[in-house]
Amino acid sequence: MLSRISTFFIFRFAIAIVVTTLFFVDFGFTEQHEKHSTHKADKTADLNVKLHTEPQKIQAGVSAALMFHLTDAKGEPFTDLMIHHDRILHVLIVGENLQIIGHIHPEDFESRDMMAELEGTYTVHFTFPVAGRYILALDVMTADAEFAKYLYVDVEGDKKMADISDDFQREKVVFGYTEEGGDRFTKAVSIIDGKGTSKYHVKIKVPEQIKAGEMVHITYHFSRDGKPITDLVPFLDAPMHFAIVSTRLDGILHTHGTVPMNERTDKMMKKDPHAGHKMKKPPATGHQHQGTTPEKFGPAVMLMTTFPKAGVYQIFGQLKHTDQILFPTFMVKVEESD
Ligand SMILES: [Cu+2]
């Protein structure tokens, strides 16, 4: 049976592609990840990822297949992945101008290839909207550890990416996009083109000065037509997802927000004394997954994070209200630590 599977696999890939080993480095923001590997020696170095794409030269505006081949230190396929945040593997995609975001998973596509996954290859499909460089974050989890890797993809085409631009507003109109069902949204979103299907008002509270290496709390506040939104719902098993990237494009952090404690208990006490029973249990491991996500929450969501170096960072958010997926995105400046 196994050899049949590999023959099938090899055949499929023989007609596929020249292997491009893309620039590939251990992710910069590793502090929190290392904490996880307490059961065994640090396994983070043991995940290798090769990306094959089809077509090999990706064109802007044309759907491309991205095939990630995961192997361990011995070169064996990496197959013991666990579902975390409702998905087997998470791919975040950010354009180098920090204005384009995508968040996709193998499960988001009907063409999901389980046979290839048995051999350690996971596929997602993405239409890069414009030419230029993109940074991709890959996040997976096993029973022992979490792994985060990043790599780059260069996209060709006539339509070039707009230049990076500073925007330090703390209050914005943010567009919502209708989800594709089952917490899926597989398209690229431009945070500046205003092509969404609904409008929200988002404010953030952020310390006046942020220093590299220090824990920062950023609170998001969501409203619509002047009314606070109190029925935000979990998206992929978290109140909010974040992709944090600096203008240096030297790493990408996929992390998650929390519902502030006071708001959570208020809701449980006042509205539904049994709300606690409906909360999802947190997974056994975990930084980025700490706490529980109430079934409904808002208007506040909090991000706790540490920026590794001084610089300008874009903080892409993603969360859900009814069937709308919002991408509230804010830029912060991080100062050198004393
Ligand atoms: Cu994800």
Side-chain angles (χ1 to χ4, degrees), residues 75-86:
E76 297 292 325
F78 206 99
T79 51
D80 57 343
L81 300 184
M82 282 170 57
I83 303 280
H84 75 298
H85 287 286
D86 292 345

Side-chain angles (χ1 to χ4, degrees), residues 82-90 105-108 181-184 236:
M82 282 170 57
I83 303 280
H84 75 298
H85 287 286
D86 292 345
R87 297 291 191 267
I88 193 96
L89 179 143
H90 297 256
H105 315 86
E107 293 98 323
D108 297 347
D183 279 0
R184 286 184 308 141
L236 294 172

Side-chain angles (χ1 to χ4, degrees), residues 306-326:
T306 307
F307 299 90
K309 291 187 211 166
V312 171
Y313 289 80
Q314 186 76 292
I315 306 173
F316 294 92
Q318 188 182 22
L319 81 167
K320 188 170 166 182
H321 178 241
T322 64
D323 65 346
Q324 298 296 296
I325 311 290
L326 284 64

